[in-house]
Amino acid sequence: ICTLFRVWFNLGPNNYTKWGGILFFTLAICGVIALQVYRTTQLEWVHAFIGGSFVSSVIPLSIGFLNAEMLPDGAGGGFASESTPLNV
C-alpha cells in the first residue's frame, strides 16, 4: 500500500500516477491470491495467473512513472541535479 501512495503523491499527484499505483497494487495482490489458490489446489495451470499478475502489474506502474510531473525550479530540496554545476 505504501508503494501505491508513493507513486500517487510523490510522482504526481495526477490521474496517471493514481491509477498506476492502484492497478499495480491490485494486480500484485491478485498474484498473491493466485499463489494461495495454487498452494491449496496444486493445479499447474494456475501458474499462468501467478506470473501474469506479477508481470502485468509492472505495466500500470511504468505508465505512472512515465507520466510523473517534474518539480518546479528551486524545489529540489537542496539536492544536486543534472543542471547543477560541480565546483571542482
Side-chain angles (χ1 to χ4, degrees):
I1 291 185
C2 293
T3 303
L4 183 154
F5 285 110
R6 286 198 54 121
V7 168
W8 182 9
F9 289 112
N10 291 52
L11 296 179
N14 60 32
N15 282 332
Y16 293 107
T17 56
K18 176 175 78 173
W19 288 106
I22 290 171
L23 290 174
F24 166 75
F25 179 73
T26 303
L27 290 169
I29 292 300
C30 286
V32 172
I33 292 169
L35 180 61
Q36 293 304 315
V37 168
Y38 171 72
R39 290 177 132 192
T40 304
T41 62
Q42 296 294 318
L43 296 172
E44 290 295 325
W45 59 269
V46 179
H47 274 113
F49 294 109
I50 296 170
S53 295
F54 289 123
V55 169
S56 62
S57 70
V58 177
I59 296 169
L61 186 65
S62 300
I63 292 172
F65 286 165
L66 289 174
N67 291 295
E69 296 177 0
M70 298 294 287
L71 289 174
D73 288 339
F79 294 106
S81 65
E82 291 181 10
S83 61
T84 304
L86 296 174
N87 295 329
V88 179

